[in-house]
Coordinates of all heavy atoms in Angstrom, one line a residue:
M307 N 20.3 24.1 -2.4 CA 20.0 23.2 -3.4 C 19.0 23.9 -4.3 O 17.8 24.1 -3.9 CB 19.4 21.9 -2.7 CG 19.5 20.7 -3.6 SD 18.7 19.3 -2.9 CE 19.9 18.8 -1.7
E308 N 19.3 24.2 -5.5 CA 18.4 24.9 -6.4 C 17.6 23.9 -7.2 O 18.1 22.8 -7.6 CB 19.3 25.7 -7.4 CG 18.5 26.8 -8.1 CD 19.5 27.7 -8.9 OE1 20.5 28.0 -8.4 OE2 19.0 28.1 -10.0
H309 N 16.4 24.3 -7.5 CA 15.4 23.4 -8.3 C 15.2 22.1 -7.7 O 15.0 21.1 -8.4 CB 15.9 23.3 -9.7 CG 16.2 24.6 -10.4 ND1 15.2 25.5 -10.7 CD2 17.4 25.2 -10.7 CE1 15.7 26.5 -11.3 NE2 17.0 26.4 -11.3
A310 N 15.2 22.0 -6.4 CA 14.9 20.7 -5.7 C 13.4 20.7 -5.2 O 12.9 21.7 -4.8 CB 15.8 20.5 -4.5
T311 N 12.8 19.6 -5.2 CA 11.5 19.4 -4.7 C 11.4 18.2 -3.7 O 12.3 17.4 -3.7 CB 10.4 19.2 -5.8 OG1 10.7 18.0 -6.5 CG2 10.4 20.4 -6.7
G312 N 10.3 18.1 -3.0 CA 10.2 17.0 -2.1 C 8.8 16.9 -1.6 O 7.9 17.8 -1.9
V313 N 8.5 15.9 -0.8 CA 7.2 15.7 -0.2 C 7.3 15.6 1.3 O 8.2 14.9 1.8 CB 6.5 14.5 -0.8 CG1 5.2 14.2 -0.1 CG2 6.4 14.5 -2.3
N314 N 6.5 16.4 2.0 CA 6.5 16.3 3.5 C 5.8 15.0 3.9 O 4.6 14.9 3.6 CB 5.9 17.5 4.1 CG 5.9 17.5 5.6 OD1 6.4 16.5 6.2 ND2 5.4 18.5 6.2
E315 N 6.4 14.1 4.5 CA 5.8 12.8 4.9 C 5.4 12.8 6.4 O 5.2 11.8 6.9 CB 6.7 11.7 4.6 CG 6.9 11.4 3.1 CD 7.7 10.2 2.8 OE1 7.7 9.2 3.7 OE2 8.4 10.1 1.8
Q316 N 5.3 14.0 7.0 CA 4.9 14.0 8.4 C 3.5 13.5 8.6 O 2.6 13.9 7.9 CB 5.1 15.4 8.9 CG 4.9 15.5 10.4 CD 5.3 16.9 11.0 OE1 5.9 17.7 10.3 NE2 4.9 17.1 12.2
I317 N 3.3 12.7 9.6 CA 2.0 12.1 9.9 C 1.4 12.8 11.1 O 2.1 13.4 11.9 CB 2.1 10.6 10.1 CG1 2.9 10.2 11.3 CG2 2.7 9.9 8.9 CD1 2.8 8.8 11.8
S318 N 0.1 12.7 11.2 CA -0.6 13.2 12.4 C -1.5 12.0 12.9 O -2.6 11.8 12.4 CB -1.5 14.4 12.0 OG -2.2 14.8 13.1
A319 N -0.9 11.3 13.8 CA -1.6 10.1 14.3 C -2.9 10.4 15.0 O -4.0 9.8 14.7 CB -0.7 9.3 15.3
L320 N -2.9 11.4 15.9 CA -4.1 11.7 16.6 C -5.3 12.2 15.7 O -6.4 11.7 15.8 CB -3.8 12.8 17.7 CG -4.9 13.2 18.6 CD1 -5.4 11.9 19.4 CD2 -4.4 14.2 19.6
N321 N -5.0 13.1 14.8 CA -6.0 13.5 13.8 C -6.5 12.4 13.0 O -7.7 12.3 12.7 CB -5.5 14.6 12.9 CG -5.2 15.9 13.7 OD1 -5.8 16.1 14.8 ND2 -4.4 16.8 13.1
T322 N -5.7 11.5 12.6 CA -6.1 10.3 11.8 C -7.0 9.4 12.6 O -8.0 9.0 12.1 CB -4.8 9.6 11.3 OG1 -4.0 10.4 10.5 CG2 -5.2 8.4 10.4
V323 N -6.6 9.1 13.8 CA -7.4 8.2 14.6 C -8.8 8.8 14.9 O -9.8 8.2 14.8 CB -6.7 7.8 15.9 CG1 -7.6 7.1 16.9 CG2 -5.5 6.9 15.6
E324 N -8.8 10.1 15.3 CA -10.0 10.8 15.6 C -11.0 10.8 14.4 O -12.2 10.6 14.5 CB -9.8 12.2 16.2 CG -9.2 12.1 17.6 CD -8.9 13.5 18.2 OE1 -8.8 14.4 17.4 OE2 -8.8 13.5 19.4
A325 N -10.4 11.1 13.2 CA -11.2 11.1 12.0 C -11.8 9.7 11.7 O -12.9 9.6 11.3 CB -10.4 11.6 10.8
A326 N -10.9 8.7 11.9 CA -11.4 7.4 11.6 C -12.5 6.9 12.5 O -13.5 6.3 12.1 CB -10.2 6.4 11.7
L327 N -12.4 7.3 13.8 CA -13.4 7.0 14.8 C -14.8 7.7 14.5 O -15.8 7.2 14.7 CB -13.0 7.3 16.2 CG -11.9 6.4 16.7 CD1 -11.3 6.9 18.0 CD2 -12.5 5.0 16.9
L328 N -14.7 8.9 13.9 CA -15.9 9.7 13.5 C -16.6 8.9 12.3 O -17.8 8.9 12.2 CB -15.6 11.1 13.1 CG -15.3 12.1 14.3 CD1 -14.8 13.4 13.7 CD2 -16.5 12.2 15.1
L329 N -15.7 8.4 11.4 CA -16.3 7.7 10.2 C -16.7 6.3 10.5 O -17.6 5.8 9.9 CB -15.2 7.7 9.1 CG -14.8 9.0 8.5 CD1 -13.6 8.9 7.7 CD2 -15.9 9.6 7.7
Q330 N -16.1 5.7 11.6 CA -16.4 4.3 11.9 C -16.7 4.2 13.4 O -16.0 3.6 14.2 CB -15.2 3.5 11.5 CG -15.5 2.0 11.2 CD -16.4 1.8 10.0 OE1 -17.0 2.7 9.4 NE2 -16.5 0.6 9.6
P331 N -17.8 4.8 13.9 CA -18.0 4.9 15.3 C -18.3 3.5 16.0 O -18.2 3.4 17.2 CB -19.3 5.8 15.5 CG -19.9 5.7 14.1 CD -18.9 5.5 13.1
K332 N -18.6 2.5 15.3 CA -18.9 1.2 15.8 C -17.6 0.3 15.8 O -17.7 -0.9 16.2 CB -20.0 0.5 15.1 CG -21.3 1.2 15.3 CD -22.5 0.5 14.6 CE -23.7 1.3 14.9 NZ -24.9 0.7 14.3
A333 N -16.5 0.9 15.5 CA -15.2 0.1 15.5 C -14.9 -0.4 16.9 O -15.2 0.2 17.9 CB -14.1 1.0 15.0
E334 N -14.4 -1.7 16.9 CA -14.1 -2.3 18.2 C -12.6 -2.3 18.4 O -12.1 -2.6 19.5 CB -14.7 -3.7 18.2 CG -16.2 -3.7 18.3 CD -16.8 -5.0 18.4 OE1 -16.1 -6.0 18.4 OE2 -18.1 -5.1 18.5
K335 N -11.8 -2.2 17.3 CA -10.3 -2.1 17.4 C -9.7 -1.4 16.2 O -10.4 -1.2 15.2 CB -9.8 -3.5 17.6 CG -10.1 -4.5 16.5 CD -9.5 -5.9 16.9 CE -10.2 -6.9 16.0 NZ -9.8 -8.3 16.4
I336 N -8.5 -1.0 16.5 CA -7.7 -0.3 15.4 C -6.4 -1.1 15.2 O -5.7 -1.4 16.1 CB -7.4 1.2 15.9 CG1 -8.6 2.0 16.1 CG2 -6.5 1.8 14.9 CD1 -8.4 3.3 16.8
G337 N -6.2 -1.3 13.9 CA -4.9 -2.0 13.5 C -4.0 -1.0 12.8 O -4.5 -0.3 11.9
V338 N -2.8 -0.9 13.2 CA -1.8 0.0 12.5 C -0.8 -0.9 11.8 O -0.1 -1.7 12.5 CB -1.2 0.9 13.5 CG1 -0.2 1.9 12.8 CG2 -2.3 1.8 14.3
I339 N -0.6 -0.7 10.5 CA 0.3 -1.5 9.7 C 1.5 -0.7 9.3 O 1.4 0.4 8.8 CB -0.5 -2.0 8.5 CG1 -1.7 -2.8 8.9 CG2 0.5 -2.8 7.6 CD1 -2.7 -3.1 7.8
A340 N 2.7 -1.3 9.5 CA 3.9 -0.6 9.0 C 4.9 -1.7 8.5 O 5.0 -2.8 9.1 CB 4.6 0.1 10.2
G341 N 5.5 -1.4 7.4 CA 6.5 -2.3 6.8 C 7.8 -2.1 7.5 O 8.0 -1.7 8.6
S342 N 8.9 -2.6 6.8 CA 10.2 -2.6 7.3 C 11.1 -1.5 6.9 O 12.3 -1.4 7.4 CB 10.8 -4.0 7.0 OG 10.1 -5.0 7.5
S343 N 10.7 -0.6 6.0 CA 11.6 0.4 5.5 C 11.9 1.4 6.6 O 11.1 1.5 7.6 CB 11.0 1.1 4.3 OG 10.0 2.0 4.7
L344 N 12.9 2.2 6.5 CA 13.3 3.2 7.5 C 12.2 4.2 7.7 O 11.8 4.5 8.8 CB 14.6 3.9 7.0 CG 15.2 4.9 8.0 CD1 15.5 4.3 9.3 CD2 16.4 5.6 7.4
T345 N 11.6 4.6 6.6 CA 10.5 5.6 6.7 C 9.3 5.0 7.4 O 8.7 5.6 8.2 CB 10.1 6.1 5.3 OG1 11.2 6.7 4.7 CG2 8.9 7.1 5.3
E346 N 8.9 3.8 7.0 CA 7.8 3.1 7.7 C 8.0 3.0 9.2 O 7.1 3.2 9.9 CB 7.5 1.8 7.0 CG 7.1 1.9 5.6 CD 7.2 0.7 4.7 OE1 7.9 -0.3 5.1 OE2 6.7 0.7 3.6
Q347 N 9.2 2.6 9.5 CA 9.5 2.4 11.0 C 9.6 3.7 11.7 O 9.2 3.9 12.8 CB 10.8 1.6 11.1 CG 10.7 0.1 10.8 CD 9.6 -0.5 11.6 OE1 9.8 -0.6 12.9 NE2 8.5 -1.0 11.0
R348 N 10.0 4.8 11.0 CA 10.1 6.1 11.6 C 8.6 6.6 11.8 O 8.3 7.1 12.9 CB 10.8 7.1 10.7 CG 10.9 8.5 11.2 CD 11.6 9.4 10.2 NE 11.3 10.8 10.5 CZ 10.2 11.4 10.0 NH1 9.3 10.8 9.3 NH2 10.0 12.7 10.3
N349 N 7.8 6.4 10.8 CA 6.4 6.8 11.0 C 5.7 6.0 12.1 O 4.9 6.6 12.8 CB 5.6 6.7 9.6 CG 6.0 7.7 8.7 OD1 6.5 8.8 9.0 ND2 5.7 7.5 7.4
L350 N 6.0 4.8 12.2 CA 5.4 4.0 13.3 C 5.9 4.5 14.7 O 5.1 4.7 15.6 CB 5.9 2.5 13.2 CG 5.4 1.6 14.3 CD1 3.9 1.5 14.4 CD2 6.0 0.2 14.1
A351 N 7.1 4.9 14.8 CA 7.6 5.4 16.1 C 6.9 6.7 16.4 O 6.5 7.0 17.5 CB 9.1 5.6 16.0
I352 N 6.8 7.6 15.4 CA 6.0 8.9 15.6 C 4.6 8.6 16.0 O 4.1 9.2 16.9 CB 6.1 9.7 14.3 CG1 7.5 10.2 14.0 CG2 5.1 10.9 14.4 CD1 7.7 10.8 12.6
F353 N 4.0 7.6 15.3 CA 2.6 7.3 15.6 C 2.4 6.8 17.0 O 1.6 7.3 17.8 CB 2.1 6.2 14.6 CG 0.6 6.0 14.7 CD1 -0.2 6.5 13.7 CD2 0.1 5.1 15.6 CE1 -1.6 6.3 13.7 CE2 -1.3 4.9 15.7 CZ -2.1 5.5 14.7
Q354 N 3.3 5.9 17.4 CA 3.2 5.3 18.8 C 3.5 6.4 19.9 O 2.9 6.4 20.9 CB 4.2 4.2 18.9 CG 3.8 3.0 18.2 CD 4.8 1.9 18.2 OE1 6.0 2.1 18.0 NE2 4.3 0.6 18.3
E355 N 4.5 7.3 19.6 CA 4.8 8.3 20.5 C 3.6 9.3 20.7 O 3.2 9.7 21.8 CB 6.0 9.1 20.0 CG 6.5 10.2 21.0 CD 7.7 10.9 20.5 OE1 8.6 10.2 19.9 OE2 7.8 12.1 20.5
E356 N 3.0 9.7 19.6 CA 1.9 10.6 19.6 C 0.6 9.9 20.3 O -0.1 10.6 21.0 CB 1.5 11.0 18.2 CG 0.5 12.2 18.2 CD 0.3 12.8 16.8 OE1 1.3 12.7 16.0 OE2 -0.8 13.2 16.5
M357 N 0.5 8.7 20.1 CA -0.7 8.0 20.7 C -0.5 7.6 22.2 O -1.4 7.2 22.8 CB -1.1 6.7 19.9 CG -1.5 7.1 18.5 SD -2.9 8.3 18.4 CE -4.2 7.4 19.2
A358 N 0.7 7.7 22.7 CA 1.1 7.2 24.0 C 0.2 7.9 25.1 O -0.2 7.4 26.1 CB 2.5 7.4 24.3
G359 N -0.1 9.2 24.9 CA -0.9 10.0 25.8 C -2.4 10.0 25.5 O -3.1 10.7 26.2
Y360 N -2.8 9.2 24.5 CA -4.2 9.3 24.1 C -5.0 8.1 24.7 O -4.5 7.0 24.7 CB -4.2 9.1 22.5 CG -5.6 9.1 21.9 CD1 -6.4 10.3 21.8 CD2 -6.2 8.0 21.5 CE1 -7.6 10.3 21.3 CE2 -7.4 7.9 20.9 CZ -8.2 9.1 20.8 OH -9.4 9.1 20.2
Y361 N -6.1 8.4 25.3 CA -6.9 7.4 25.9 C -8.2 7.3 25.1 O -8.9 8.2 24.9 CB -7.3 7.6 27.3 CG -8.3 6.6 27.8 CD1 -7.9 5.3 28.1 CD2 -9.6 6.9 27.9 CE1 -8.8 4.3 28.4 CE2 -10.5 5.9 28.2 CZ -10.1 4.6 28.5 OH -11.0 3.7 28.9
H362 N -8.5 6.0 24.7 CA -9.8 5.7 24.1 C -10.1 4.3 24.4 O -9.1 3.5 24.5 CB -9.8 5.9 22.6 CG -11.2 6.0 22.0 ND1 -11.9 4.8 21.7 CD2 -12.0 7.0 21.6 CE1 -13.1 5.2 21.2 NE2 -13.1 6.5 21.2
P363 N -11.3 3.9 24.6 CA -11.6 2.5 25.0 C -11.2 1.5 24.0 O -11.2 0.3 24.2 CB -13.0 2.5 25.4 CG -13.6 3.7 24.7 CD -12.5 4.7 24.7
I364 N -11.0 1.9 22.7 CA -10.7 1.0 21.7 C -9.2 0.7 21.7 O -8.4 1.6 21.7 CB -11.1 1.5 20.3 CG1 -12.6 1.7 20.2 CG2 -10.6 0.7 19.2 CD1 -13.1 2.3 18.9
A365 N -8.8 -0.6 21.7 CA -7.4 -1.0 21.7 C -6.8 -0.8 20.3 O -7.4 -0.9 19.3 CB -7.3 -2.5 22.1
I366 N -5.5 -0.4 20.4 CA -4.8 -0.2 19.1 C -3.7 -1.3 19.1 O -3.0 -1.5 20.0 CB -4.0 1.2 19.1 CG1 -5.1 2.3 19.2 CG2 -3.2 1.3 17.9 CD1 -4.5 3.7 19.2
H367 N -3.8 -2.0 18.0 CA -2.8 -3.2 17.7 C -1.9 -2.8 16.6 O -2.3 -2.3 15.6 CB -3.6 -4.4 17.3 CG -4.6 -4.8 18.3 ND1 -4.4 -5.6 19.4 CD2 -6.0 -4.5 18.4 CE1 -5.5 -5.8 20.2 NE2 -6.5 -5.1 19.5
Y368 N -0.6 -3.0 16.9 CA 0.4 -2.7 15.9 C 0.9 -4.0 15.1 O 1.2 -5.0 15.8 CB 1.6 -2.0 16.6 CG 1.2 -0.7 17.1 CD1 0.8 -0.5 18.5 CD2 1.1 0.5 16.4 CE1 0.4 0.7 19.0 CE2 0.7 1.7 16.9 CZ 0.4 1.8 18.2 OH 0.0 3.0 18.7
H369 N 1.0 -3.9 13.8 CA 1.4 -5.0 13.0 C 2.6 -4.4 12.1 O 2.4 -3.7 11.1 CB 0.3 -5.4 12.0 CG -0.9 -5.8 12.8 ND1 -1.0 -7.0 13.6 CD2 -2.1 -5.2 13.0 CE1 -2.2 -7.0 14.1 NE2 -2.9 -5.9 13.8
S370 N 3.8 -4.7 12.6 CA 5.0 -4.1 12.0 C 6.0 -5.1 11.6 O 6.2 -6.1 12.3 CB 5.6 -3.2 13.1 OG 6.8 -2.7 12.7
Q371 N 6.6 -4.9 10.5 CA 7.7 -5.7 9.9 C 7.2 -7.2 9.8 O 8.0 -8.1 10.2 CB 8.9 -5.6 10.8 CG 9.4 -4.2 10.9 CD 10.8 -4.1 11.5 OE1 11.7 -4.8 11.1 NE2 10.9 -3.2 12.5
L372 N 6.0 -7.4 9.3 CA 5.5 -8.7 9.1 C 5.7 -9.1 7.6 O 5.5 -8.3 6.7 CB 4.1 -8.8 9.5 CG 3.7 -8.5 10.9 CD1 2.2 -8.6 11.1 CD2 4.4 -9.5 11.8
E373 N 6.0 -10.4 7.4 CA 5.9 -11.0 6.0 C 4.4 -11.0 5.6 O 3.5 -11.0 6.4 CB 6.5 -12.4 6.0 CG 8.0 -12.4 6.3 CD 8.9 -11.8 5.3 OE1 8.4 -11.5 4.1 OE2 10.0 -11.5 5.6
P374 N 4.2 -10.9 4.3 CA 2.8 -10.9 3.8 C 1.9 -11.9 4.4 O 0.7 -11.6 4.8 CB 3.0 -11.0 2.3 CG 4.3 -10.5 2.0 CD 5.2 -10.9 3.2
E375 N 2.3 -13.2 4.5 CA 1.5 -14.2 5.1 C 1.1 -13.9 6.5 O -0.1 -14.1 6.9 CB 2.2 -15.6 5.0 CG 2.5 -16.0 3.6 CD 3.8 -15.3 3.0 OE1 4.6 -14.8 3.8 OE2 4.0 -15.4 1.8
A376 N 2.0 -13.5 7.3 CA 1.7 -13.1 8.7 C 0.8 -11.9 8.8 O -0.1 -11.9 9.7 CB 3.0 -12.9 9.5
L377 N 1.0 -11.0 7.9 CA 0.1 -9.8 8.0 C -1.3 -10.2 7.6 O -2.3 -9.8 8.2 CB 0.6 -8.7 7.0 CG -0.2 -7.4 6.9 CD1 -0.4 -6.8 8.3 CD2 0.4 -6.5 5.9
I378 N -1.5 -11.0 6.5 CA -2.8 -11.5 6.1 C -3.5 -12.2 7.3 O -4.6 -12.0 7.6 CB -2.7 -12.3 4.9 CG1 -2.3 -11.5 3.7 CG2 -4.0 -13.1 4.6 CD1 -1.9 -12.3 2.4
E379 N -2.7 -13.1 8.0 CA -3.3 -13.8 9.1 C -3.7 -12.9 10.2 O -4.8 -13.0 10.8 CB -2.2 -14.8 9.6 CG -2.7 -15.7 10.7 CD -1.7 -16.7 11.2 OE1 -0.9 -17.2 10.3 OE2 -1.6 -17.0 12.4
A380 N -2.9 -11.8 10.5 CA -3.3 -10.9 11.5 C -4.6 -10.1 11.1 O -5.4 -9.8 12.0 CB -2.2 -9.9 11.8
L381 N -4.7 -9.7 9.9 CA -5.8 -8.9 9.4 C -7.1 -9.7 9.3 O -8.2 -9.1 9.3 CB -5.5 -8.3 8.1 CG -4.3 -7.3 8.1 CD1 -4.1 -6.7 6.7 CD2 -4.5 -6.2 9.1
E382 N -7.0 -11.0 9.3 CA -8.2 -11.8 9.3 C -9.0 -11.7 10.6 O -10.2 -12.0 10.7 CB -7.9 -13.3 9.1 CG -7.4 -13.6 7.7 CD -7.0 -15.0 7.4 OE1 -6.8 -15.7 8.4 OE2 -6.8 -15.3 6.3
N383 N -8.4 -11.1 11.7 CA -9.1 -10.9 13.0 C -9.8 -9.6 13.0 O -10.3 -9.2 14.1 CB -8.0 -11.0 14.1 CG -7.4 -12.3 14.2 OD1 -8.1 -13.3 14.2 ND2 -6.1 -12.4 14.2
Y384 N -9.9 -8.9 11.9 CA -10.6 -7.6 11.9 C -11.9 -7.7 11.2 O -12.0 -8.4 10.2 CB -9.8 -6.5 11.3 CG -8.6 -6.1 12.1 CD1 -7.4 -6.8 12.0 CD2 -8.7 -5.0 13.0 CE1 -6.3 -6.5 12.8 CE2 -7.6 -4.7 13.8 CZ -6.4 -5.4 13.7 OH -5.4 -5.1 14.5
A385 N -12.9 -7.0 11.7 CA -14.3 -7.0 11.1 C -14.4 -5.8 10.2 O -13.5 -4.9 10.3 CB -15.4 -7.0 12.2
D386 N -15.4 -5.7 9.4 CA -15.6 -4.6 8.5 C -15.7 -3.3 9.2 O -15.4 -2.2 8.7 CB -16.9 -4.8 7.6 CG -16.7 -5.9 6.6 OD1 -15.5 -6.3 6.3 OD2 -17.7 -6.4 6.1
R387 N -16.3 -3.3 10.5 CA -16.5 -2.1 11.2 C -15.2 -1.6 11.9 O -15.1 -0.4 12.3 CB -17.5 -2.3 12.3 CG -17.0 -3.3 13.4 CD -18.1 -3.6 14.4 NE -17.7 -4.7 15.2 CZ -17.8 -6.0 14.9 NH1 -18.4 -6.3 13.8 NH2 -17.4 -7.0 15.7
D388 N -14.1 -2.4 11.9 CA -12.9 -2.0 12.6 C -12.1 -1.1 11.7 O -12.4 -0.9 10.5 CB -12.1 -3.3 12.9 CG -12.7 -4.1 14.0 OD1 -13.4 -3.5 14.9 OD2 -12.6 -5.3 14.0
I389 N -11.0 -0.5 12.2 CA -10.2 0.5 11.5 C -8.8 0.0 11.3 O -8.2 -0.6 12.2 CB -10.2 1.8 12.4 CG1 -11.6 2.4 12.5 CG2 -9.2 2.8 11.8 CD1 -11.6 3.5 13.6
L390 N -8.4 0.1 10.1 CA -7.0 -0.2 9.7 C -6.3 1.1 9.2 O -6.8 1.7 8.3 CB -6.9 -1.3 8.7 CG -7.4 -2.7 9.1 CD1 -7.5 -3.6 7.9 CD2 -6.6 -3.2 10.2
I391 N -5.2 1.4 9.8 CA -4.4 2.5 9.4 C -3.1 2.0 8.8 O -2.3 1.3 9.5 CB -4.1 3.5 10.5 CG1 -5.5 4.0 11.1 CG2 -3.2 4.6 10.1 CD1 -5.4 4.8 12.3
V392 N -2.8 2.3 7.5 CA -1.6 1.8 6.9 C -0.6 3.0 6.8 O -0.8 3.9 6.1 CB -1.9 1.3 5.5 CG1 -0.6 0.8 4.8 CG2 -3.0 0.2 5.5
L393 N 0.5 2.8 7.6 CA 1.6 3.8 7.6 C 2.5 3.6 6.4 O 3.4 4.4 6.1 CB 2.3 3.8 8.9 CG 1.5 4.0 10.1 CD1 2.4 3.9 11.4 CD2 0.8 5.4 10.1
G394 N 2.4 2.5 5.7 CA 3.2 2.1 4.6 C 3.6 0.7 4.7 O 3.7 0.1 5.8
Y395 N 3.6 0.0 3.6 CA 4.0 -1.4 3.6 C 4.7 -1.7 2.2 O 4.2 -2.4 1.4 CB 2.8 -2.3 3.7 CG 3.1 -3.7 3.9 CD1 3.6 -4.2 5.1 CD2 2.9 -4.7 2.9 CE1 4.0 -5.5 5.3 CE2 3.2 -6.0 3.1 CZ 3.8 -6.4 4.3 OH 4.1 -7.7 4.5
M396 N 5.8 -1.0 2.0 CA 6.6 -1.2 0.8 C 7.7 -2.2 0.9 O 8.2 -2.7 0.0 CB 7.1 0.2 0.3 CG 6.0 1.2 0.0 SD 5.0 0.7 -1.4 CE 6.2 0.8 -2.7
A397 N 8.1 -2.4 2.2 CA 9.2 -3.3 2.4 C 8.9 -4.3 3.5 O 8.4 -4.0 4.5 CB 10.5 -2.5 2.9
T398 N 9.2 -5.6 3.2 CA 9.0 -6.7 4.2 C 10.3 -7.0 4.8 O 11.3 -6.6 4.3 CB 8.4 -7.9 3.5 OG1 9.4 -8.4 2.6 CG2 7.1 -7.6 2.7
P399 N 10.3 -7.8 5.9 CA 11.6 -8.1 6.5 C 12.5 -8.8 5.5 O 13.8 -8.7 5.6 CB 11.2 -9.0 7.7 CG 9.8 -8.6 8.0 CD 9.2 -8.2 6.7
S400 N 12.0 -9.6 4.6 CA 12.8 -10.4 3.7 C 13.2 -9.5 2.5 O 13.9 -10.0 1.6 CB 12.1 -11.7 3.3 OG 10.9 -11.4 2.6
G401 N 12.7 -8.3 2.4 CA 13.0 -7.4 1.3 C 12.0 -7.4 0.2 O 12.1 -6.9 -0.8

């Protein structure tokens, strides 16, 4: 394919979480947000797989494929000191 370009969308869950914890050491929980698109769900699966062997006393909560109202309700349970990681939220279940 000549004259083609692209963007590498590979994520690094472990590095992201560790950097976030350095920046926000008083965090009590981590929320991970993913929409419904194929890329968002793929990134969520990669994130969960990479974090499966990671231990930290802070719980990680996943908010995936939620409609905006449900996502807003879930996010109301986070304090300013907590960490939110957005893997993408371009598509909702209803489109």
Side-chain angles (χ1 to χ4, degrees):
M307 203 184 284
E308 196 172 322
H309 305 291
T311 62
V313 176
N314 181 359
E315 293 187 26
Q316 187 170 349
I317 64 170
S318 177
L320 186 57
N321 290 341
T322 300
V323 168
E324 288 179 343
L327 289 169
L328 285 173
L329 294 170
Q330 205 68 347
K332 294 183 181 182
E334 294 181 358
K335 58 186 163 183
I336 297 172
V338 180
I339 301 165
S342 297
S343 77
L344 182 61
T345 300
E346 293 160 349
Q347 287 301 298
R348 179 182 162 277
N349 285 341
L350 176 61
I352 291 168
F353 190 99
Q354 289 173 318
E355 183 178 319
E356 192 172 327
M357 294 308 295
Y360 179 76
Y361 172 77
H362 195 281
I364 295 179
I366 298 176
H367 303 275
Y368 295 96
H369 306 286
S370 173
Q371 300 189 53
L372 298 177
E373 293 295 345
E375 298 80 17
L377 179 59
I378 290 168
E379 185 176 321
L381 297 181
E382 288 174 350
N383 295 312
Y384 289 86
D386 290 344
R387 69 183 166 276
D388 293 328
I389 297 167
L390 294 174
I391 298 172
V392 181
L393 300 177
Y395 189 74
M396 296 296 290
T398 64
S400 62

